[in-house]
Amino acid sequence: MALFELTLVLLLIAVALTALSRHVQVPYPSLLALAGVGIAFVPGVPTIEIDPELALALFIAPVLLDAAYDTSLRDLNRYRVPLVLLALGAVLFTTATVALVGWAMAGLPIAAAIALGAIVAPPDAVAASAVLGQFKVPHRITAILQGESLLNDATALLIYRIAVSAAAGSILLSSAVPMILLSTLGSLVAGYVLGRLSLMTLGRIEDPASGTVVQFAGTFGVWILADRIGLSAIITIVVYAMTIARTAPRHMPARNRISSYSVWETAVFVLNVLAFVIMGLQARTIVGRLAGQGQTDAFVLAGIVLAIVIASRLIWVLGCGAIIRWFARFGSADRQRDAPSFRGGVLIGWCGMRGLVTLAAAFALPAEFPARDPIVLAAFTVVLGTLVLQGMSLKPLLRLLNLDPDETVDREVAQARVVVMQAALDILSGKTSDVAAAVREQYAAQRKIAKNPDDAQAATEYDRLRLYAIKSQRDALEELRRNGTIGDEAYHRLEEEIDWTELAASPPGRFQSLTT
């Protein structure tokens, strides 16, 4: 019972910290990391252990699916060069640099050193997005960070699994390349096939709760199946999610989709809370086990790894950016315009906060893994250090860089809205009833506003009037239930209709989840 009560308290603390993070405009994972450290040293707090095999499936599978579902294939293709340089090149560079230091300085076995490098290599875009979403930074930067966060997880965790297997003696590093190629190909095929099969099931489920349960069961099922048959669970789940994301909107009812989004966002938030708390408690246990010189050496290693992780990313990003700009000088005007700027490179390089993936990978190390305690302590230090140092300085850095505001997404929304409204008007053009005329008038008004995206005042006034009318609707609905004219079933059905209308009229960000 004590564990259940502790969990409730931790979730409430996390909600309060999230509200505080929005107020001071810092990433909420930064405050969660500090809270995890603080809670770890509270007397009487129980130690929470988690099975290593469960850790990756529990923490990574839902987070990867949530990230992959929102990833744009268009942006992945448009920014493929910087994404390859970051998701593959930066991960390999960081892994190799950290592994070299761990092997040469700390005397770690080569497989354990590579595992440490892979654990701390992949940045987490959640922390960066929490701050970048409050500023209109160039869409190129946000798209690259989001795409990198998805793809670098697959790269790092693939290296991690190979290193862990090599440390256990079940695979030789020299024979890893054929296994990687076979695993990658099989995972791509399996992810696509399982995604198509899942869509056949989801399209037949009309109940939102049942549909969400099936989604969670399918996610964990795909991970477990891929892992059991020797495929890369990471690549499989990414392809599975992207397959569903491209076709599910045409098959799933709107009610199921809205409900599903809310549940997934809440689940990812809760997993972040639990991961930071468990890591803090594990760090306390590790510090207690390490004594004397061993404890000092572990902290020195952790500090050096933190410095290497921050420096290696900046060196790689700024170095690659300089090379691309140099080659762009000899290209066309479009190529010169698309070359990454120095200020953009500084921002991308500084957005290297580590998060849930690093924590989960550290959890998943087997108990008998060589130098497990120093590696886990180093991983937690990297997560805490990057979230505090980089996360809390991100807002001042954005002000210092003074990047040009980007309206790309707003323009795309306005253009698409015109087309969508026109499609509705075209299909209604043959209807002559009074009701059809009223519906046409509503769509025509929305199209008029959308056709002029530069008229911000008109768009603002349109949404303001809709919200003003919605408030009156809510008051009238409350009065109908209060005086007994309608029952609760009718009340909740109308309440849902008004909620959807308010969601459409509200400014972006008002209904964002705790994880954004």
Side-chain angles (χ1 to χ4, degrees):
M1 188 63 180
L3 181 59
F4 177 71
E5 294 167 350
L6 175 63
T7 303
L8 292 179
V9 172
L10 293 176
L11 290 176
L12 291 176
I13 291 174
V15 171
L17 290 176
T18 303
L20 177 62
S21 72
R22 288 176 175 172
H23 180 69
V24 299
Q25 292 186 320
V26 299
Y28 85 87
S30 299
L31 298 183
L32 282 182
L34 290 173
V37 174
I39 292 170
F41 295 96
V42 173
V45 175
T47 300
I48 302 175
E49 297 292 341
I50 185 168
D51 181 75
E53 287 299 320
L54 174 63
L56 281 179
L58 176 62
F59 289 108
I60 299 299
V63 172
L64 276 182
L65 184 132
D66 186 60
Y69 198 90
D70 295 330
T71 299
S72 167
L73 288 177
R74 184 198 66 174
D75 288 341
L76 289 180
N77 181 60
R78 178 178 296 176
Y79 305 118
R80 57 187 177 275
V81 173
L83 283 174
V84 169
L85 290 173
L86 287 170
L88 185 61
V91 167
L92 292 174
F93 181 66
T94 302
T95 300
T97 307
V98 171
L100 180 62
V101 171
W103 173 70
M105 189 200 81
L108 298 178
I110 187 62
I114 293 174
L116 171 60
I119 287 171
V120 299
D124 184 2
V126 172
S129 299
V131 175
L132 296 181
Q134 300 166 10
F135 298 84
K136 287 189 176 296
V137 300
H139 175 68
R140 170 192 173 92
I141 292 177
T142 56
I144 288 174
L145 287 173
Q146 290 171 355
E148 178 205 4
S149 178
L150 174 67
L151 300 177
N152 64 16
D153 292 345
T155 304
L157 291 175
L158 191 58
I159 299 171
Y160 165 84
R161 296 301 289 264
I162 293 172
V164 171
S165 298
S170 57
I171 184 175
L172 297 176
L173 289 175
S174 59
S175 63
V177 173
M179 191 197 78
I180 291 175
L181 295 176
L182 183 62
S183 173
T184 301
L185 270 176
S187 300
L188 292 172
V189 174
Y192 178 78
V193 172
L194 292 171
R196 300 299 298 184
L197 291 174
S198 178
L199 285 171
M200 295 170 60
T201 303
L202 291 174
R204 294 183 171 90
I205 299 176
E206 297 183 357
D207 176 56
S210 300
T212 304
V213 169
V214 170
Q215 288 177 38
F216 273 96
T219 300
F220 291 116
V222 167
W223 179 282
I224 293 170
L225 176 63
D227 192 55
R228 292 286 174 84
I229 63 178
L231 299 177
S232 167
I234 300 101
I235 297 175
T236 305
I237 205 75
V238 167
V239 176
Y240 169 79
M242 296 183 76
T243 301
I244 293 177
R246 298 299 293 180
T247 50
R250 298 291 297 176
H251 298 278
M252 290 177 62
R255 185 194 300 267
N256 290 22
R257 190 159 50 250
I258 293 294
S259 172
S260 172
Y261 288 166
S262 300
V263 173
W264 275 99
E265 289 166 355
T266 303
V268 171
F269 174 72
V270 171
L271 289 175
N272 270 280
V273 173
L274 294 178
F276 281 110
V277 172
I278 294 174
M279 178 57 84
L281 295 176
Q282 286 210 355
R284 179 185 66 180
T285 304
I286 290 169
V287 171
R289 284 200 298 260
L290 295 170
Q293 188 62 36
Q295 188 180 94
T296 302
D297 292 344
F299 276 111
V300 170
L301 174 64
I304 292 175
V305 170
L306 171 60
I308 290 173
V309 163
I310 294 175
S312 63
R313 179 174 176 85
L314 284 170
I315 292 170
W316 181 268
V317 171
L318 294 178
C320 290
I323 294 172
I324 293 174
R325 285 194 299 273
W326 187 82
F327 278 109
R329 292 167 51 192
F330 306 101
S332 62
D334 289 341
R335 188 174 178 182
Q336 294 179 28
R337 187 182 63 251
D338 292 338
S341 66
F342 174 77
R343 290 184 299 168
V346 171
L347 180 58
I348 291 176
W350 197 247
C351 288
M353 290 78 79
R354 271 54 175 180
L356 186 57
V357 173
T358 295
L359 295 180
F363 290 155
L365 286 174
E368 66 280 2
F369 192 80
R372 184 184 191 276
D373 285 351
I375 290 175
V376 174
L377 184 62
F380 184 57
T381 302
V382 168
V383 172
L384 178 64
T386 56
L387 284 174
V388 173
L389 293 176
Q390 295 179 299
M392 292 191 170
S393 62
L394 196 53
K395 179 183 173 183
L397 178 63
L398 282 166
R399 297 192 186 280
L400 180 64
L401 293 175
N402 193 27
L403 296 167
D404 296 331
D406 193 314
E407 306 287 344
T408 301
V409 176
D410 293 337
R411 287 196 300 270
E412 290 181 355
V413 168
Q415 293 168 2
R417 185 174 286 132
V418 172
V419 175
V420 170
M421 297 303 171
Q422 187 60 53
L425 288 170
D426 290 343
I427 200 68
L428 293 171
S429 60
K431 306 295 182 180
T432 57
S433 66
D434 293 340
V435 174
V439 174
R440 279 199 303 271
E441 183 177 350
Q442 180 182 6
Y443 280 119
Q446 294 179 16
R447 186 191 62 171
K448 182 178 179 181
I449 297 296
K451 286 185 70 174
N452 189 10
D454 296 328
D455 190 354
Q457 180 59 39
T460 302
E461 177 68 10
Y462 177 74
D463 286 336
R464 188 187 68 79
L465 288 174
R466 291 174 72 189
L467 292 173
Y468 181 71
I470 287 169
K471 183 180 182 303
S472 178
Q473 287 181 303
R474 290 195 184 281
D475 293 340
L477 185 61
E478 290 289 343
E479 178 61 22
L480 288 173
R481 183 171 68 165
R482 189 194 63 80
N483 62 29
T485 303
I486 62 174
D488 276 18
E489 184 175 352
Y491 171 85
H492 288 303
R493 184 177 299 182
L494 290 169
E495 180 187 44
E496 183 181 13
E497 292 179 7
I498 297 174
D499 285 344
W500 280 66
T501 306
E502 182 175 347
L503 180 64
S506 298
R510 177 168 176 178
F511 286 89
Q512 286 180 348
S513 73
L514 296 173
T515 61
T516 56

